[in-house]
Amino acid sequence: MHGILKMKSYSFAALLFLFWVFLSGHLTPLLLGFGVVSVALAVFLSKRMNVIDHESYPLHLSSQLPAFFVYIFKEIIKANIDVVKRILQWQGSTISPQLVDIPVQQTSDLGRVIYANAITLTPGTVSIELSQETITIHALTEEAAQELAAGNMAKEVSNRVLVE
Amino acid sequence: MMIDILSWVCLFAGGLLGIIGGIGIHRFPDFYSRLHAAGITDTLCAMLILFGLGLQAGFTLAAFKLALIFVFLFFTSPTASHALANAALHSGLKPKLDMDGRGVRS
Amino acid sequence: MFIAVSVAILITMGLALARALTGPTTYDRIAAVNMFGTKTVLLIAVLAFLSGSTDLLDIALVYALINFIGVVAALKLVTQKNFHSSEENRREVE
């Protein structure tokens, strides 16, 4: 248990240092030294705050994650076009706002949060309340609410994000 | 040259989406539906502008930083939207709803 | 060409600012300020390319983070009217 934590701290430090080098872009000894000091401080503070745990190290994410990102980008673009159309249709009311409860199949906290974030990322639906079994969403239109209730996105999240 | 044209198309589409989202937050009737219009400017508009700038930058540190900005926005903007909607609902702000729909609560 | 894009972003920022000034509820104002902040990040990024000094991108990066934390902090202040958490309140009472 202690050994795993140590290993995680070291890999965290290596990752942070890589991050520093990419952000600064300078390789002089002085700036690299500043980087070492900052990384040491950041790792010390993270250990003190107990935030180096399995959630900040999502090694249990699925290898199909890129496919999930492609799917979510497609959904974002589709939803954007829909909302833009509704904004630009000037006469009459083009929206039919809904408040709907959607069941959640994801068992882990991380899975539920990723699902709720995916819902919020697509314009037209915003997750308002997240509980153990349901997500309350506000949908701009009835179609958006129905599409979400059909559960395609839930399937994508449970198949492609987490290794159960 | 092709990359230049693609980059300009992305940048202009992003700017246009921003203005449309700005119109949206004035056109929609209540807070919750305005959140969706603000969502446009947070997602596709920001993505297109950052992608267009990334095409201008090529494979440099600047492109890496743009990707990082993109990742931060990608993670923080839904969280902020959710926090706003959740806080508004709990403070008792009632959304205007289309009442004859399916599964609607007051 | 970059100038046209930054003008478009500035128009959006103006619209967001108008909503922040007129918005009937406090949450409208905070949402508008959040949108204003996102646009500021994009504007700084475009200005970095306009002026050719890509060091400005670091500022955009930091602004993206500060904007998020600022919005969440403002929201917490508005909803709870104070900055100490409810656990701390309970401990004080007990």
Side-chain angles (χ1 to χ4, degrees), chain B:
Chain B
M1 191 58 206
M2 273 308 285
I3 289 178
D4 252 7
I5 292 171
L6 185 65
S7 142
W8 290 123
V9 168
C10 281
L11 283 171
F12 276 119
L16 205 63
L17 275 172
I19 295 175
I20 291 172
I23 295 169
I25 60 168
H26 285 274
R27 179 164 145 63
F28 282 159
D30 75 325
F31 163 73
Y32 296 94
S33 44
R34 279 179 207 133
L35 217 49
H36 299 294
I40 291 182
T41 64
D42 277 354
T43 54
L44 198 59
C45 162
M47 282 175 192
L48 282 174
I49 288 180
L50 289 176
F51 184 69
L53 288 177
L55 287 179
Q56 289 284 317
F59 278 104
T60 52
L61 273 185
F64 174 74
K65 282 172 193 167
L66 286 170
L68 219 53
I69 295 173
F70 173 74
V71 169
F72 285 156
L73 286 181
F74 191 81
F75 283 116
T76 57
S77 83
T79 314
S81 294
H82 172 78
L84 268 163
N86 197 347
L89 190 78
H90 278 276
S91 77
L93 185 65
K94 289 270 188 298
K96 279 182 190 156
L97 294 176
D98 191 19
M99 290 306 285
D100 45 68
R102 190 177 56 89
V104 175
R105 302 184 321 184
S106 63

Side-chain angles (χ1 to χ4, degrees), chain A residues 85-97:
Chain A
K85 264 189 209 154
R86 277 163 208 284
I87 291 176
L88 291 183
Q89 235 166 49
W90 210 255
Q91 60 268 64
S93 173
T94 52
I95 58 171
S96 50

Side-chain angles (χ1 to χ4, degrees), chain A residues 19-88:
Chain A
F19 189 57
W20 171 280
V21 170
F22 268 109
L23 275 187
S24 84
H26 294 283
L27 292 173
T28 57
L30 177 70
L31 283 169
L32 285 182
F34 284 157
V36 170
V37 173
S38 323
V39 167
L41 185 66
V43 171
F44 170 69
L45 288 177
S46 310
K47 276 181 98 161
R48 245 177 81 98
M49 286 167 71
N50 256 335
V51 289
I52 306 181
D53 56 8
H54 85 282
E55 256 182 30
S56 58
Y57 255 82
L59 295 177
H60 48 295
L61 289 180
S62 158
S63 59
Q64 283 193 308
L65 205 60
F68 175 70
F69 277 113
V70 171
Y71 166 79
I72 203 91
F73 279 130
K74 263 193 216 151
E75 286 297 307
I76 288 174
I77 291 170
K78 262 199 299 190
N80 265 291
I81 292 169
D82 185 54
V83 177
V84 164
K85 264 189 209 154
R86 277 163 208 284
I87 291 176
L88 291 183

Side-chain angles (χ1 to χ4, degrees), chain C residues 50-91:
Chain C
L50 186 63
S51 65
S53 59
T54 46
D55 290 343
L56 276 173
L57 285 176
D58 292 326
I59 299 172
L61 203 59
V62 173
Y63 200 94
L65 291 176
I66 290 179
N67 178 44
F68 171 65
I69 294 170
V71 164
V72 172
L75 207 55
K76 192 170 182 194
L77 185 62
V78 165
T79 48
Q80 304 194 346
K81 307 280 189 268
N82 62 43
F83 267 123
H84 31 96
S85 66
S86 45
E87 280 93 331
E88 272 171 359
N89 280 342
R90 226 173 287 135
R91 228 178 291 140

Side-chain angles (χ1 to χ4, degrees), chain A residues 113-130:
Chain A
V113 168
I114 288 174
Y115 184 34
N117 261 11
I119 289 174
T120 314
L121 259 177
T122 51
T125 48
V126 169
S127 63
I128 294 187
E129 182 92 67
L130 178 60

